[in-house]
Amino acid sequence: SYASVVDVLTGKHPVGTTVTVRGWVRTRRDSKAGISFINLHDGSCFDALQAVVANTLSNYSSEVQKLTTGCAVAITGEVAASQGQGQSFELQASDLQVYGWVEDPDTYPMAPKRHSMEYLREYAHLRPRTNITGAVMRVRNCLAQAVHRFFHEHGYLWVSTPIITASDCEGAGEMFRVSTLDLMNLPHKDDGSIDFSQDFFGKEAYLTVSGQLNAETYACALSKVYTFGPTFRAENSNTSRHLSEFWMVEPEVAFADLDQVAGLAEAMLKYVFKAVMEERADDLAFFNQRIDNTVLERLQKMVSSDFVHMDYTDAIDILQNCGEQFEYPVSWGVDLQSEHERYLAEKHVGGPVILKNYPRDIKAFYMRQNDDGKTVAAMDVLAPGIGEIIGGSAREERLDVLDKRLDEMQLPKAEYQWYRDLRRYGTVPHAGFGLGFERLVAYVTGVQNIRDVIPFPRTPKNASY
Ligand code: 4AD
Ligand code: MG
């Protein structure tokens, strides 16, 4: 029967049973005694499975000894207790079939050595074969499953919000336009070039920057919902924490205030951190050893301590009086830069911090105004090493206050009619947040650049396959 590497290594197939494992060769080592040791990986866990192949196999010299890194094979053999260090089981091969050879092994881009992340990015189609990308993707998957499980267990409905929309949730004007293009009959401009200015069947349409506004409509009927999908930002930011296309987790909760969703954010993060520590200990050990030796300690600390809450106003005070030289000066009213966020999380608190009550003028139109007339009930969760991973707020549920804000920001009321309706028909206080999923994966793995925690990163400089 076919078996995965993880099943063999964790003893699902008792010693003495014969199984066939399919995968890719990581390394081959030949001993003088006419035995080859092949390490086989199939993505099911961090470790590769060692297969011991003796020269009694009929294709030993014709094929086995020609195997190189990357070859695809099926190895049949008996499960045996391993003599080797660190592994409990291995395979005593009785048959080896080659699915695919690696042509020109000398130039195979994924040779089994340490490659730089920049180099691997050039090979987005081959990097899943490396230890590191495999580990990142298993952790990413584990986190995504845990997010869904957390919300499911807490009574939230997963609502799929649209990718194509006309509304600019964040009001930052950073949207990608969607056009209808008839490829058989491309419209041309006078100079003969293709006219890409056509819109979505005669209307304006863009790729969503956030599912929040749509999620609000469902929260104001189904009480507790979340959306988890791709979002798009046309900001020309070439940093290690910005992508043009990223995934966002956005819960929206009726009858909740800011502190309740701050509590929800903390509970959700702790839940997914616990899940990844339990389910992906193998990959985390690798990250801790290879990428960042504080990964395990950091996660442990996150789940076992309470998040610190701090007011924006107090944070400004701290930043102004800490004696640190920042590239961007701080004063009340400015938007915090990543250097400030990291100072607060890393140096001041030494852990995650929830910053609350930001100046109204640097925040989106939908945030609920506080009684001081200057601030809104907004929060950001700042994490050491990365800065903002979550942004959220209470939503303005009072129609008159919302309308005043729309006017002040010169946003067209007519286009927000549907959003205003929520405030006209049985309005309720509600709140929610958005977690940048790639920032979470980067935080958990210690991987420095967000481009390395999503399979095919889209940035201003890269949108090819
Ligand atoms: O702070 P943001 O812009 O908030 C919103 O979009 C709200 N509508 C969310 C809500 O309340 N439902 O984005 C939320 C999070 C950020 O904290 C950050 O982690 C991530 O999304 N994010 C990005 N991640 C990668 N690349 C980018 N360009 C990002 N922009 C935001
Ligand atoms: Mg934000």
Side-chain angles (χ1 to χ4, degrees):
S1 67
Y2 291 117
S4 62
V5 169
V6 68
D7 281 354
V8 176
L9 288 181
T10 54
K12 297 260 158 57
H13 302 276
V15 167
T17 45
T18 296
V19 296
T20 300
V21 183
R22 298 169 293 185
W24 293 265
V25 173
R26 176 143 283 145
T27 55
R28 191 196 89 232
R29 183 169 60 83
D30 300 333
S31 83
K32 288 192 192 77
I35 290 174
S36 294
F37 300 94
I38 292 172
N39 275 327
L40 194 67
H41 69 99
D42 67 356
S44 59
C45 59
F46 183 80
D47 285 322
L49 171 68
Q50 172 164 286
V52 183
V53 190
N55 60 6
T56 47
L57 257 63
S58 60
N59 59 348
Y60 185 74
S61 53
S62 61
E63 295 196 316
V64 174
Q65 287 194 300
K66 292 184 180 144
L67 288 172
T68 57
T69 302
C71 290
V73 296
I75 305 179
T76 302
E78 214 174 79
V79 176
S82 175
Q83 319 293 316
Q85 248 191 356
Q87 275 202 356
S88 34
F89 300 99
E90 62 184 23
L91 217 54
Q92 299 284 348
S94 52
D95 184 67
L96 187 151
Q97 300 292 328
V98 181
Y99 282 103
W101 294 96
V102 165
E103 56 178 70
D104 198 2
D106 292 339
T107 61
Y108 179 55
M110 296 293 113
K113 61 171 193 177
R114 205 162 154 165
H115 299 289
S116 73
M117 298 308 260
E118 290 76 14
Y119 174 87
L120 292 179
R121 244 172 263 148
E122 304 281 308
Y123 293 95
H125 59 304
L126 296 177
R127 71 176 183 173
R129 297 160 184 230
T130 61
N131 273 335
I132 186 154
T133 306
V136 166
M137 292 309 149
R138 278 185 300 274
V139 166
R140 186 182 165 103
N141 171 69
C142 171
L143 288 167
Q145 303 285 354
V147 162
H148 283 298
R149 221 161 50 233
F150 172 83
F151 285 117
H152 179 66
E153 286 172 10
H154 290 80
Y156 286 70
L157 292 185
W158 180 27
V159 173
S160 306
T161 50
I163 308 281
I164 299 174
T165 178
S167 52
D168 180 2
C169 174
E170 293 306 296
E174 292 169 336
M175 304 183 84
F176 292 105
R177 186 168 179 154
V178 177
S179 297
T180 7
L181 266 191
D182 178 354
L183 290 176
M184 305 306 283
N185 189 14
L186 286 172
H188 286 85
K189 292 196 263 193
D190 290 344
D191 65 2
S193 62
I194 298 171
D195 182 0
F196 286 106
S197 67
Q198 274 204 14
D199 38 29
F200 186 79
F201 301 108
K203 289 178 219 74
E204 260 183 74
Y206 303 91
L207 296 179
T208 187
V209 295
S210 160
Q212 177 200 320
L213 304 186
N214 301 87
E216 280 185 58
T217 69
Y218 273 73
C220 291
L222 306 176
S223 301
K224 300 201 286 187
V225 303
Y226 72 106
T227 173
F228 185 178
T231 52
F232 307 84
R233 304 269 167 117
E235 55 187 322
N236 198 358
S237 298
N238 290 284
T239 80
S240 58
R241 46 179 230 152
H242 287 92
L243 291 164
S244 303
E245 175 181 303
F246 65 98
W247 286 63
M248 204 175 357
V249 178
E250 297 182 274
E252 195 66 36
V253 198
F255 311 105
D257 63 14
L258 185 66
D259 280 327
Q260 280 165 308
V261 289
L264 178 70
E266 179 170 347
M268 178 199 69
L269 287 174
K270 286 179 170 168
Y271 183 99
V272 303
F273 291 149
K274 271 189 207 143
V276 80
M277 284 190 287
E278 274 168 32
E279 296 165 28
R280 295 269 48 111
D282 56 346
D283 296 316
L284 288 183
F286 167 76
F287 290 120
N288 202 65
Q289 187 223 327
R290 168 79 79 85
I291 303 293
D292 174 353
N293 64 11
T294 65
V295 159
L296 289 174
E297 181 193 315
R298 207 165 59 200
L299 291 178
Q300 198 56 57
K301 203 167 153 196
M302 286 279 271
V303 298
S304 57
S305 56
D306 292 337
F307 289 16
V308 170
H309 289 226
M310 189 189 288
D311 253 46
Y312 167 91
T313 302
D314 297 329
I316 293 295
D317 213 46
I318 290 163
L319 292 167
Q320 280 178 323
N321 296 308
C322 66
E324 190 92 357
Q325 281 298 317
F326 294 115
E327 192 185 335
Y328 297 92
V330 270
S331 59
W332 201 94
V334 302
D335 209 356
L336 296 185
Q337 302 294 321
S338 117
E339 56 172 346
H340 308 130
E341 296 174 346
R342 291 187 54 176
Y343 178 87
L344 291 169
E346 286 161 32
K347 304 235 174 82
H348 187 78
V349 171
V353 50
I354 305 186
L355 221 57
K356 301 188 296 193
N357 302 316
Y358 282 74
R360 174 184 99 138
D361 293 338
I362 56 169
K363 289 293 184 185
F365 76 94
Y366 54 72
M367 295 192 178
R368 192 179 197 281
Q369 273 185 54
N370 290 325
D371 293 340
D372 62 13
K374 295 192 304 186
T375 60
V376 284
M379 66 152 187
D380 275 3
V381 178
L382 313 179
I386 184 151
E388 175 189 345
I389 60 171
I390 286 180
S393 76
R395 320 307 189 187
E396 187 54 76
E397 86 283 10
R398 299 161 295 188
L399 184 63
D400 55 331
V401 185
L402 178 71
D403 277 350
K404 211 164 148 251
R405 195 70 191 133
L406 287 171
D407 287 340
E408 278 166 3
M409 297 180 80
Q410 298 180 330
L411 294 166
K413 259 198 216 118
E415 276 172 34
Y416 290 96
Q417 192 51 42
W418 60 277
Y419 191 72
R420 295 177 67 248
D421 275 354
L422 301 180
R423 280 76 185 160
R424 295 170 65 213
Y425 307 133
T427 193
V428 285
H430 58 288
F433 64 79
L435 163 72
F437 190 62
E438 284 72 23
R439 291 199 186 167
L440 176 75
V441 182
Y443 180 73
V444 167
T445 57
V447 168
Q448 289 289 314
N449 197 311
I450 200 168
R451 294 175 176 87
D452 302 320
V453 299
I454 186 165
F456 296 95
R458 268 76 185 95
T459 61
K461 295 200 171 121
N462 186 9
S464 57
Y465 72 95

